[in-house]
Amino acid sequence: MSPVRITFKRTVASIYGLYSTALTVCGFMAAAAVLFAFNLIKAEGSTTSLATVWCMSVTPLLPVLAALLSMDVWSEDRRTGRIQSILSIAVKERDFVLGKFFGALFAVILSLALFLVVSLGVLRFYSPTIFDGQWAVGFFPGIFILFLQCSLWCAVCVGASALFGHAAASAAFSIALLVAVPRGIWLALGMLSIRGREAFGIMPLDAHVYDFSVGVISTGILISYVTLTLAFLYVAAKLVVMLRLKGLGARSLKFSSVTVIVLAFVFSALVSTSALRLDATFDLPVDGA
């Protein structure tokens, strides 16, 4: 059995063995349900599809879900000192990171799928007419971009967990980086602008989900998410390398690790900027308004 698979299974078992996981998933479903109900009422009488309403209701909460489910994947090992035993095994850091990444992503996707089944099941029971003219395939583009967002959030959170020795610090850093900073900056720009929020429109992360859910597919957005996800996974692997070198001196190796981390961010920024500059969009025939 490959090291990635073993690490994946242990990560999933570890995540679902925590009491905080049950609280996190329940809290996510409750908050998403409230937001979904609010957005349904808000969209009444409009041409917004059910898939768009559902996707827009979960996307703001996904970074928080990923941060809380991923906060222990490395932090617990660092806090207990078990990290040295794990890293003493002749396994590449990349394999450890990929196993923990896939484990965290599996937990997030499973929670998202559970909410999809429960929310639409309840809606089908209490308001079956809302599904008239709706097709299951209409959810696919929106769910696909949500999957890409989940992948990026989990990659960031796995790296944050390797960076901090305490799970709470890892979660706080991830939430600040993925939620507070981007949405705070966007809110501040809207408040400072003379025209207010109309000058900037909706938050780009939400706009990506909205565009995909209505069938507007952007190659630049796809390439950007994939590139940034790979970059953060690479950074997470380098952070684990630095953990393996802890206490061994090796200043030159640590310096080279920091250098390639910076270069990884520069490279991913250049690729993402080029992809968005050369963006090509196409429409999918998504029906069901």
Side-chain angles (χ1 to χ4, degrees):
M1 187 177 293
S2 67
V4 175
R5 195 177 214 180
I6 294 173
T7 307
F8 166 77
K9 291 185 175 180
R10 289 179 176 176
T11 302
V12 172
S14 174
I15 290 175
Y16 284 104
L18 298 172
Y19 291 109
S20 60
T21 299
L23 295 175
T24 298
V25 174
C26 290
F28 163 74
M29 293 186 65
V34 172
L35 194 56
F36 183 43
F38 173 79
N39 287 337
L40 278 175
I41 296 172
K42 185 178 178 181
E44 186 175 1
S46 68
T47 58
T48 307
S49 69
L50 181 62
T52 300
V53 175
W54 187 86
C55 291
M56 293 296 290
S57 301
V58 298
T59 183
L61 304 173
L62 286 180
V64 179
L65 177 66
L68 295 178
L69 290 181
S70 307
M71 62 182 181
D72 263 329
V73 293
W74 282 112
S75 299
E76 179 66 16
D77 295 330
R78 291 194 60 184
R79 187 180 64 83
T80 59
R82 195 166 57 240
I83 186 71
Q84 299 304 324
S85 300
I86 295 175
L87 295 181
S88 64
I89 304 173
V91 174
K92 293 181 179 179
E93 296 85 2
R94 176 193 60 199
D95 294 337
F96 284 127
V97 169
L98 287 177
K100 291 183 179 293
F101 165 73
F102 287 127
L105 181 60
F106 175 80
V108 175
I109 295 299
L110 190 60
S111 302
L112 194 62
L114 179 62
F115 177 68
L116 176 64
V117 172
V118 171
S119 59
L120 297 188
V122 171
L123 200 59
R124 168 71 73 176
F125 181 79
Y126 284 103
S127 183
T129 58
I130 200 173
F131 290 91
D132 294 343
Q134 305 286 332
W135 298 88
V137 71
F139 281 83
F140 289 171
I143 291 177
F144 179 69
I145 189 63
L146 289 178
F147 171 77
L148 291 181
Q149 287 192 342
C150 288
S151 299
L152 178 56
W153 307 154
C154 288
V156 174
C157 295
V158 168
S161 184
L163 184 62
F164 293 93
H166 198 282
S170 170
F173 175 81
S174 299
I175 293 174
L177 182 63
L178 300 177
V179 181
V181 172
R183 294 188 181 274
I185 292 175
W186 200 255
L187 180 62
L189 289 175
M191 295 176 63
L192 294 175
S193 174
I194 298 176
R195 293 173 54 196
R197 294 177 59 183
E198 295 180 357
F200 299 96
I202 63 175
M203 173 74 181
L205 296 175
D206 298 337
H208 299 161
V209 176
Y210 180 86
D211 290 342
F212 273 70
S213 65
V214 298
V216 181
I217 308 301
S218 167
T219 58
I221 297 300
L222 292 175
I223 295 174
S224 297
Y225 275 107
V226 173
T227 302
L228 290 173
T229 299
L230 293 176
F232 275 102
L233 287 175
Y234 181 78
V235 169
K238 287 303 177 182
L239 291 174
V240 176
V241 169
M242 296 177 70
L243 289 177
R244 181 170 268 176
L245 296 175
K246 187 177 181 180
L248 300 179
R251 293 183 179 180
S252 60
L253 291 176
K254 293 179 181 178
F255 176 77
S256 65
S257 296
V258 173
T259 302
V260 295
I261 286 175
V262 175
L263 291 177
F265 282 125
V266 173
F267 176 76
S268 61
L270 291 174
V271 172
S272 299
T273 303
S274 301
L276 293 173
R277 185 69 181 268
L278 303 174
D279 186 29
T281 60
F282 55 94
D283 295 334
L284 292 179
V286 178
D287 297 323

Short mmCIF file of all heavy atoms in Angstrom, two decimals, residues 232-266:
data_model
loop_
_atom_site.label_atom_id
_atom_site.label_comp_id
_atom_site.label_asym_id
_atom_site.label_seq_id
_atom_site.Cartn_x
_atom_site.Cartn_y
_atom_site.Cartn_z
N PHE A 232 0.39 25.75 -3.19
CA PHE A 232 0.27 25.63 -1.73
C PHE A 232 0.62 24.21 -1.26
O PHE A 232 1.15 24.04 -0.16
CB PHE A 232 -1.13 26.02 -1.28
CG PHE A 232 -1.31 27.50 -1.08
CD1 PHE A 232 -1.96 28.27 -2.02
CD2 PHE A 232 -0.80 28.11 0.06
CE1 PHE A 232 -2.11 29.64 -1.83
CE2 PHE A 232 -0.95 29.48 0.26
CZ PHE A 232 -1.60 30.24 -0.70
N LEU A 233 0.34 23.21 -2.07
CA LEU A 233 0.77 21.85 -1.71
C LEU A 233 2.29 21.75 -1.73
O LEU A 233 2.89 21.10 -0.86
CB LEU A 233 0.15 20.83 -2.68
CG LEU A 233 -1.34 20.56 -2.51
CD1 LEU A 233 -1.82 19.62 -3.61
CD2 LEU A 233 -1.64 19.97 -1.13
N TYR A 234 2.91 22.40 -2.69
CA TYR A 234 4.37 22.42 -2.76
C TYR A 234 4.95 23.13 -1.55
O TYR A 234 5.92 22.67 -0.94
CB TYR A 234 4.81 23.10 -4.05
CG TYR A 234 6.30 23.16 -4.24
CD1 TYR A 234 7.01 22.04 -4.67
CD2 TYR A 234 7.01 24.33 -3.98
CE1 TYR A 234 8.38 22.09 -4.84
CE2 TYR A 234 8.38 24.39 -4.15
CZ TYR A 234 9.06 23.27 -4.59
OH TYR A 234 10.42 23.32 -4.75
N VAL A 235 4.34 24.25 -1.19
CA VAL A 235 4.79 25.00 -0.01
C VAL A 235 4.62 24.16 1.25
O VAL A 235 5.51 24.14 2.13
CB VAL A 235 4.03 26.33 0.11
CG1 VAL A 235 4.29 27.00 1.45
CG2 VAL A 235 4.41 27.27 -1.03
N ALA A 236 3.49 23.46 1.36
CA ALA A 236 3.27 22.59 2.52
C ALA A 236 4.34 21.52 2.62
O ALA A 236 4.84 21.20 3.71
CB ALA A 236 1.88 21.96 2.44
N ALA A 237 4.73 20.94 1.47
CA ALA A 237 5.77 19.92 1.47
C ALA A 237 7.11 20.51 1.94
O ALA A 237 7.86 19.87 2.69
CB ALA A 237 5.92 19.32 0.08
N LYS A 238 7.40 21.73 1.51
CA LYS A 238 8.65 22.37 1.94
C LYS A 238 8.62 22.71 3.43
O LYS A 238 9.66 22.67 4.10
CB LYS A 238 8.88 23.63 1.11
CG LYS A 238 9.30 23.34 -0.33
CD LYS A 238 10.56 22.48 -0.37
CE LYS A 238 10.96 22.12 -1.77
NZ LYS A 238 12.17 21.24 -1.78
N LEU A 239 7.45 23.06 3.95
CA LEU A 239 7.35 23.30 5.39
C LEU A 239 7.60 22.02 6.18
O LEU A 239 8.21 22.05 7.26
CB LEU A 239 5.96 23.85 5.72
CG LEU A 239 5.67 25.27 5.23
CD1 LEU A 239 4.22 25.64 5.50
CD2 LEU A 239 6.59 26.28 5.90
N VAL A 240 7.15 20.90 5.65
CA VAL A 240 7.42 19.61 6.30
C VAL A 240 8.91 19.28 6.21
O VAL A 240 9.48 18.70 7.14
CB VAL A 240 6.57 18.50 5.66
CG1 VAL A 240 6.92 17.15 6.25
CG2 VAL A 240 5.09 18.79 5.87
N VAL A 241 9.56 19.64 5.10
CA VAL A 241 11.01 19.46 4.99
C VAL A 241 11.72 20.21 6.10
O VAL A 241 12.66 19.70 6.73
CB VAL A 241 11.50 19.93 3.60
CG1 VAL A 241 13.03 19.99 3.57
CG2 VAL A 241 10.99 19.01 2.51
N MET A 242 11.26 21.43 6.36
CA MET A 242 11.89 22.23 7.41
C MET A 242 11.64 21.63 8.78
O MET A 242 12.49 21.73 9.67
CB MET A 242 11.37 23.67 7.33
CG MET A 242 11.75 24.38 6.03
SD MET A 242 11.08 26.04 5.87
CE MET A 242 12.04 26.91 7.10
N LEU A 243 10.48 20.98 8.96
CA LEU A 243 10.24 20.27 10.22
C LEU A 243 11.19 19.09 10.37
O LEU A 243 11.67 18.79 11.47
CB LEU A 243 8.79 19.78 10.27
CG LEU A 243 7.69 20.83 10.44
CD1 LEU A 243 6.32 20.18 10.38
CD2 LEU A 243 7.86 21.58 11.76
N ARG A 244 11.47 18.42 9.28
CA ARG A 244 12.39 17.28 9.31
C ARG A 244 13.82 17.74 9.62
O ARG A 244 14.60 16.99 10.24
CB ARG A 244 12.33 16.54 7.98
CG ARG A 244 13.22 15.33 7.86
CD ARG A 244 12.89 14.55 6.60
NE ARG A 244 11.90 13.52 6.89
CZ ARG A 244 11.36 12.72 5.96
NH1 ARG A 244 11.72 12.85 4.70
NH2 ARG A 244 10.48 11.81 6.29
N LEU A 245 14.15 18.94 9.21
CA LEU A 245 15.51 19.46 9.45
C LEU A 245 15.64 20.16 10.79
O LEU A 245 16.74 20.60 11.14
CB LEU A 245 15.86 20.46 8.33
CG LEU A 245 15.96 19.90 6.91
CD1 LEU A 245 16.20 21.03 5.92
CD2 LEU A 245 17.06 18.86 6.81
N LYS A 246 14.55 20.27 11.54
CA LYS A 246 14.58 20.97 12.82
C LYS A 246 15.56 20.32 13.78
O LYS A 246 15.52 19.11 13.99
CB LYS A 246 13.18 21.00 13.43
CG LYS A 246 13.06 21.86 14.68
CD LYS A 246 11.63 21.89 15.17
CE LYS A 246 11.51 22.78 16.41
NZ LYS A 246 10.12 22.83 16.91
N GLY A 247 16.42 21.14 14.36
CA GLY A 247 17.40 20.64 15.33
C GLY A 247 18.63 20.05 14.70
O GLY A 247 19.53 19.58 15.40
N LEU A 248 18.72 20.05 13.37
CA LEU A 248 19.88 19.46 12.69
C LEU A 248 20.81 20.51 12.10
O LEU A 248 21.76 20.16 11.40
CB LEU A 248 19.39 18.53 11.55
CG LEU A 248 18.51 17.36 11.96
CD1 LEU A 248 18.09 16.57 10.73
CD2 LEU A 248 19.23 16.45 12.96
N GLY A 249 20.53 21.77 12.40
CA GLY A 249 21.32 22.83 11.78
C GLY A 249 20.86 23.02 10.35
O GLY A 249 19.74 23.49 10.10
N ALA A 250 21.70 22.63 9.40
CA ALA A 250 21.36 22.65 7.97
C ALA A 250 20.77 24.00 7.55
O ALA A 250 19.70 24.07 6.96
CB ALA A 250 20.40 21.51 7.65
N ARG A 251 21.47 25.07 7.89
CA ARG A 251 20.96 26.39 7.57
C ARG A 251 20.83 26.61 6.07
O ARG A 251 19.88 27.27 5.61
CB ARG A 251 21.88 27.45 8.18
CG ARG A 251 21.87 27.49 9.71
CD ARG A 251 22.74 28.60 10.22
NE ARG A 251 22.71 28.66 11.68
CZ ARG A 251 23.39 29.55 12.41
NH1 ARG A 251 24.16 30.45 11.79
NH2 ARG A 251 23.31 29.54 13.72
N SER A 252 21.77 26.08 5.31
CA SER A 252 21.71 26.27 3.86
C SER A 252 20.48 25.59 3.27
O SER A 252 19.84 26.14 2.36
CB SER A 252 22.98 25.72 3.21
OG SER A 252 23.12 24.33 3.49
N LEU A 253 20.14 24.40 3.78
CA LEU A 253 18.96 23.70 3.28
C LEU A 253 17.68 24.45 3.67
O LEU A 253 16.73 24.53 2.89
CB LEU A 253 18.92 22.27 3.83
CG LEU A 253 20.00 21.32 3.29
CD1 LEU A 253 19.91 19.96 3.98
CD2 LEU A 253 19.87 21.16 1.79
N LYS A 254 17.64 24.98 4.88
CA LYS A 254 16.48 25.76 5.31
C LYS A 254 16.34 27.03 4.48
O LYS A 254 15.23 27.41 4.10
CB LYS A 254 16.60 26.10 6.79
CG LYS A 254 16.50 24.90 7.73
CD LYS A 254 16.64 25.31 9.18
CE LYS A 254 16.56 24.09 10.09
NZ LYS A 254 16.74 24.45 11.53
N PHE A 255 17.49 27.67 4.21
CA PHE A 255 17.44 28.89 3.39
C PHE A 255 16.94 28.57 1.99
O PHE A 255 16.15 29.33 1.40
CB PHE A 255 18.83 29.53 3.34
CG PHE A 255 18.90 30.73 2.46
CD1 PHE A 255 18.39 31.96 2.88
CD2 PHE A 255 19.45 30.64 1.18
CE1 PHE A 255 18.45 33.08 2.05
CE2 PHE A 255 19.51 31.75 0.36
CZ PHE A 255 19.02 32.97 0.79
N SER A 256 17.40 27.46 1.43
CA SER A 256 16.96 27.09 0.08
C SER A 256 15.48 26.75 0.07
O SER A 256 14.78 27.04 -0.91
CB SER A 256 17.77 25.90 -0.43
OG SER A 256 17.53 24.74 0.36
N SER A 257 14.97 26.17 1.17
CA SER A 257 13.54 25.86 1.26
C SER A 257 12.71 27.13 1.28
O SER A 257 11.68 27.23 0.60
CB SER A 257 13.25 25.02 2.51
OG SER A 257 13.90 23.78 2.45
N VAL A 258 13.16 28.12 2.05
CA VAL A 258 12.46 29.41 2.10
C VAL A 258 12.50 30.08 0.72
O VAL A 258 11.50 30.66 0.26
CB VAL A 258 13.07 30.32 3.17
CG1 VAL A 258 12.45 31.72 3.10
CG2 VAL A 258 12.89 29.73 4.55
N THR A 259 13.64 29.98 0.05
CA THR A 259 13.79 30.60 -1.27
C THR A 259 12.82 29.99 -2.28
O THR A 259 12.15 30.71 -3.04
CB THR A 259 15.23 30.44 -1.78
OG1 THR A 259 16.13 31.03 -0.83
CG2 THR A 259 15.39 31.10 -3.14
N VAL A 260 12.73 28.65 -2.29
CA VAL A 260 11.84 28.02 -3.28
C VAL A 260 10.37 28.25 -2.92
O VAL A 260 9.51 28.26 -3.81
CB VAL A 260 12.13 26.51 -3.39
CG1 VAL A 260 13.52 26.27 -3.94
CG2 VAL A 260 11.94 25.79 -2.07
N ILE A 261 10.07 28.46 -1.64
CA ILE A 261 8.69 28.80 -1.26
C ILE A 261 8.31 30.15 -1.87
O ILE A 261 7.23 30.31 -2.45
CB ILE A 261 8.54 28.82 0.27
CG1 ILE A 261 8.54 27.40 0.82
CG2 ILE A 261 7.26 29.54 0.69
CD1 ILE A 261 8.52 27.33 2.34
N VAL A 262 9.21 31.12 -1.74
CA VAL A 262 8.96 32.44 -2.33
C VAL A 262 8.84 32.34 -3.84
O VAL A 262 7.94 32.93 -4.46
CB VAL A 262 10.09 33.42 -1.95
CG1 VAL A 262 9.90 34.76 -2.66
CG2 VAL A 262 10.12 33.63 -0.44
N LEU A 263 9.72 31.57 -4.47
CA LEU A 263 9.67 31.41 -5.92
C LEU A 263 8.39 30.69 -6.36
O LEU A 263 7.86 30.98 -7.44
CB LEU A 263 10.90 30.62 -6.39
CG LEU A 263 12.24 31.34 -6.27
CD1 LEU A 263 13.38 30.44 -6.71
CD2 LEU A 263 12.25 32.63 -7.09
N ALA A 264 7.90 29.77 -5.54
CA ALA A 264 6.65 29.06 -5.88
C ALA A 264 5.49 30.04 -5.92
O ALA A 264 4.64 29.97 -6.82
CB ALA A 264 6.39 27.96 -4.86
N PHE A 265 5.45 30.95 -4.95
CA PHE A 265 4.38 31.96 -4.94
C PHE A 265 4.52 32.90 -6.14
O PHE A 265 3.51 33.26 -6.76
CB PHE A 265 4.41 32.75 -3.64
CG PHE A 265 3.81 32.03 -2.47
CD1 PHE A 265 4.52 31.84 -1.31
CD2 PHE A 265 2.51 31.54 -2.54
CE1 PHE A 265 3.96 31.18 -0.24
CE2 PHE A 265 1.94 30.87 -1.47
CZ PHE A 265 2.67 30.69 -0.32
N VAL A 266 5.73 33.29 -6.46
CA VAL A 266 5.94 34.18 -7.61
C VAL A 266 5.52 33.48 -8.90
O VAL A 266 4.82 34.07 -9.75
CB VAL A 266 7.42 34.61 -7.70
CG1 VAL A 266 7.68 35.39 -8.99
CG2 VAL A 266 7.80 35.46 -6.49
#
